[in-house]
Amino acid sequence: MTEAAVALHPPRKQDVIQVRNPATLELVAEIPAVDEAGVREAVARGREAQAVWAAMTFTERGRLLRRFRDAIVDHRDRLAEVIAAETGKPRADIYGGELMYVCDAIGFWAKNAAAYLADQKITPHLLKTKRVYSTYHPLGVVGIIGPWNFPFILTIGEALPALMAGNAVVIKPSEVTPRSAMVGAELAAEAGLPEHLLQVIPGYGETGSYLVDYADMICFTGSVETGRKVAERAARRLIPVTLELGGKDPMIVLRDADLDRAANGCVWGALFNAGQVCMSVERVYVEAPVYDAFVSKVVEKVRRLRQGLSHQDVDIGPMTFPPQLEKVERHVQEARAKGATVLVGGRRNPNLPGLFYEPTVLTNVTHEMAIMREETFGPVIPIMKVADAEEALRLANDSPYGLTASIWTKDKERGQVLARRIEAGAVCVNDCLVNFAITEAPMGGVKHSGIGRRHGAEGIRKFCQQRTVVVDRLATKSEINWYPSSPRRTALFRRLLPLLYRSGWRNKLRG
Ligand code: NDP
């Protein structure tokens, strides 16, 4: 290995995580990895804390979480330092993205959890003599396994509905970015959340796999490959799992689109967080009549973007860790070799020291290239010309993924009709990525992009057992189907069957 390669791929120390700043490659922290015994103990401690927490009312839990929010606000600069040191993100994206989302989500869940988890009255269609309702109960200790691209949102942010539902939470953050969640949990404890209610267990992948062995539920965000392993392991214990996985999200630009809005949306939607967003615009299909105009607008806007260090006034930061940078390089090189044209970018930024890849626009791309089929997760915009909306839809659905998508057209009605034909968990019309910020709206994938939803009612009920209570209203001595059996009762049921269920009979009876 060359010296540079060794700097990028230092040998892994089995029991210590080394966190590096991707913008400068400096060593930021060395953190002991939690082993199996540590995971088991964390879950046991969480179980004790959960008993206390579950006995509190929603109002009490909400009050403590709001105090946690105050602590985040008061310590925003410290958090921004920590997040910047392990991701290199521009400060604007940290304050306006990571911290803003979590603060907003605390208020949302603190306010709405009680309504989402209220007892639900059920009216039986047949057994009218029964009063029925269902109730929600916390699962116990929820394990959250998160990725590195949003190390605060996808760890601490994910924990919020689980906590409001009455669970304890143990977070296994990515080995690449563990400090963000660790500092978040420290602030939560300082704000008065019960000790060990929200814990962080830094470690490599195996620490995550131990969490699957001990927690009562796993909420996983990450790659399809790891998600499959987590689901298989959880299946052995029959514990519930939700999987928020990767995407290859298409953007469709129709000939009647507002091209300025579409180009602005494309550049932001594809390049936000250096493209390291599960729902980022990963491939673009443009109807032929507006293709040239759209491409030139996108290229012009991309050329104006500024890339640099977190504290500078920049739009785009680095890739977060070396394998991600190498994947982007591989995809662009392969596309080039198969005939793609690089209109801008297409290389590491030679003027910056860390893992910076220049914002890139590619044309002449096809579905034979990885750049149009596999998740790139980088600052690359591959644009393809299509004959019409039908071809765009066919190509958009030609993917194992189905996280989000977007359609750009001035005809909003048609946009919504086409949206229903896209195989994705969410489709935006004349917008992109924004559905994540609408905490009321279910968010999650179809096909290989995942199982389960965050946000909305599903986003908190998934952290609960739903149980049903049935109460007899009449208090008769017996029921018609209870013992003893008799020929008369058999004959009665025999006569009832056609009366109740034979097509036409019920209507005749009702006149
Ligand atoms: P990975 O799947 O590599 O890792 C995710 C987490 O799982 C990490 O904490 C990782 O630890 C841990 N892990 C690794 N192996 C195991 C195992 N065997 N058992 C349990 N846990 C394990 O994903 P990335 O961190 O690379 O994240 C990027 C991916 O996340 C992309 O595909 C992206 O699309 C997806 N994502 C999806 C989102 C969604 O909402 N659908 C949102 C954001 C990202 P370690 O890091 O130590 O290896």
Side-chain angles (χ1 to χ4, degrees):
M1 269 204 218
T2 64
E3 211 172 287
V6 172
L8 290 181
H9 297 279
R12 175 182 152 164
K13 291 191 192 170
Q14 200 53 39
D15 46 5
V16 175
I17 300 169
Q18 294 195 318
V19 183
R20 284 178 189 275
N21 184 327
T24 61
L25 304 181
E26 285 162 353
L27 185 64
V28 172
E30 290 199 307
I31 298 168
V34 176
D35 61 9
E36 182 175 4
V39 175
R40 193 174 53 232
E41 284 158 19
V43 172
R45 285 193 300 265
R47 215 173 279 300
E48 283 176 24
Q50 194 261 337
V52 177
W53 181 247
M56 291 185 189
T57 62
F58 285 109
T59 311
E60 287 168 329
R61 288 180 212 150
R63 186 177 56 78
L64 286 172
L65 281 184
R66 287 192 183 94
R67 278 174 51 182
F68 175 33
R69 182 174 61 184
D70 290 343
I72 294 173
V73 173
D74 292 345
H75 292 269
R76 60 192 180 282
D77 294 335
R78 176 177 165 215
L79 277 166
E81 277 296 324
V82 170
I83 297 170
E86 56 190 13
T87 65
K89 287 177 202 241
R91 285 296 201 278
D93 293 353
I94 296 175
Y95 290 116
E98 297 266 11
L99 301 187
M100 189 80 86
Y101 171 89
V102 171
C103 288
D104 183 69
I106 287 176
F108 176 80
W109 292 116
K111 182 174 169 203
N112 295 300
Y116 282 137
L117 302 183
D119 293 356
Q120 285 188 308
K121 184 176 174 225
I122 293 162
T123 307
H125 71 285
L126 183 61
L127 300 174
K128 301 288 184 194
T129 60
K130 311 297 171 192
R131 189 163 78 84
V132 188
Y133 57 94
S134 72
T135 57
Y136 291 98
H137 303 262
L139 290 166
V141 180
V142 169
I144 290 179
I145 301 177
W148 42 263
N149 58 335
F150 288 96
F152 199 60
I153 291 177
L154 295 174
T155 55
I156 299 294
E158 289 290 90
L160 301 170
L163 291 171
M164 273 311 294
N167 298 286
V169 171
V170 177
I171 296 171
K172 185 345 227 152
S174 167
E175 81 199 37
V176 183
T177 56
R179 290 279 299 141
S180 305
M182 290 170 77
V183 174
E186 279 166 33
L187 290 178
E190 282 166 31
L193 264 72
E195 197 183 11
H196 302 137
L197 183 72
L198 177 62
Q199 300 173 85
V200 177
I201 46 164
Y204 295 102
E206 51 264 40
T207 304
S209 66
Y210 301 139
L211 188 56
V212 183
D213 291 342
Y214 293 104
D216 299 314
M217 184 244 180
I218 292 291
C219 174
F220 173 85
T221 306
S223 63
V224 174
E225 195 190 354
T226 313
R228 200 172 268 131
K229 285 187 204 159
V230 166
E232 282 173 7
R233 199 159 177 133
R236 291 187 213 157
R237 298 183 54 226
L238 292 179
I239 56 165
V241 181
T242 57
L243 304 173
E244 298 283 353
L245 308 177
K248 188 72 193 169
D249 296 359
M251 167 176 190
I252 296 176
V253 183
L254 299 183
R255 62 192 75 195
D256 68 342
D258 174 338
L259 289 192
D260 285 313
R261 181 170 174 83
N264 281 325
C266 173
V267 172
W268 180 75
L271 303 181
F272 174 59
N273 206 36
Q276 302 165 115
V277 182
C278 55
M279 333 184 281
S280 66
V281 171
E282 284 255 337
R283 50 199 171 114
V284 187
Y285 304 100
V286 188
E287 276 195 287
V290 293
Y291 174 81
D292 290 337
F294 177 80
V295 169
S296 66
K297 280 178 192 288
V298 168
V299 167
E300 180 210 319
K301 290 171 198 302
V302 170
R303 279 195 208 287
R304 287 208 298 261
L305 295 174
R306 298 149 308 160
Q307 191 166 39
L309 303 177
S310 174
H311 63 273
Q312 296 169 332
D313 185 19
V314 292
D315 305 297
I316 301 196
M319 309 307 297
T320 308
F321 75 133
Q324 195 50 46
L325 176 68
E326 286 154 10
K327 184 179 184 191
V328 174
E329 286 184 313
R330 210 167 48 241
H331 280 195
V332 173
Q333 272 163 15
E334 189 238 33
R336 238 183 192 147
K338 288 185 173 170
T341 307
V342 178
L343 296 182
V344 51
R347 57 174 190 175
R348 291 186 189 202
N349 190 322
N351 305 315
L352 292 164
L355 309 180
F356 291 89
Y357 195 86
E358 288 185 346
T360 297
V361 180
L362 298 179
T363 53
N364 294 324
V365 289
T366 72
H367 272 222
E368 305 307 309
M369 302 171 184
I371 201 90
M372 294 301 275
R373 302 193 68 83
E374 295 172 22
E375 187 180 46
T376 307
F377 224 56
V380 183
I381 310 177
I383 310 179
M384 191 169 168
K385 191 192 293 184
V386 292
D388 53 25
E390 288 306 315
E391 187 184 9
L393 282 177
R394 184 178 58 73
L395 291 168
N397 288 336
D398 177 23
S399 170
Y401 293 106
L403 193 53
T404 73
S406 63
I407 298 189
W408 303 73
T409 168
K410 286 196 185 123
D411 184 346
K412 289 183 207 159
E413 290 306 314
R414 182 165 179 243
Q416 289 170 73
V417 170
L418 296 176
R420 285 172 180 262
R421 294 175 57 199
I422 297 190
E423 296 158 3
V427 182
C428 296
V429 178
N430 297 328
D431 218 323
C432 56
L433 273 61
V434 69
N435 59 297
F436 190 89
I438 303 167
T439 329
E440 294 80 356
M443 186 261 158
V446 302
K447 301 201 278 190
H448 288 185
S449 288
I451 298 172
R453 295 288 177 266
R454 63 160 67 88
H455 297 165
E458 263 307 295
I460 188 162
R461 290 179 183 161
K462 70 184 180 186
F463 294 117
C464 298
Q465 289 172 346
Q466 189 176 19
R467 302 179 191 164
T468 298
V469 177
V470 180
V471 183
D472 177 56
R473 290 175 196 271
L474 296 185
T476 52
K477 295 291 176 205
S478 183
E479 295 279 342
I480 187 169
N481 55 327
W482 290 4
Y483 296 132
S485 183
S486 72
R488 222 176 122 220
R489 200 177 76 181
T490 308
L492 175 68
F493 284 138
R494 187 174 172 276
R495 277 202 305 279
L496 268 179
L497 270 171
L499 279 175
L500 289 175
Y501 303 116
R502 183 78 174 83
S503 303
W505 278 70
R506 284 171 80 190
N507 290 344
K508 272 186 216 157
L509 278 178
R510 287 174 184 163

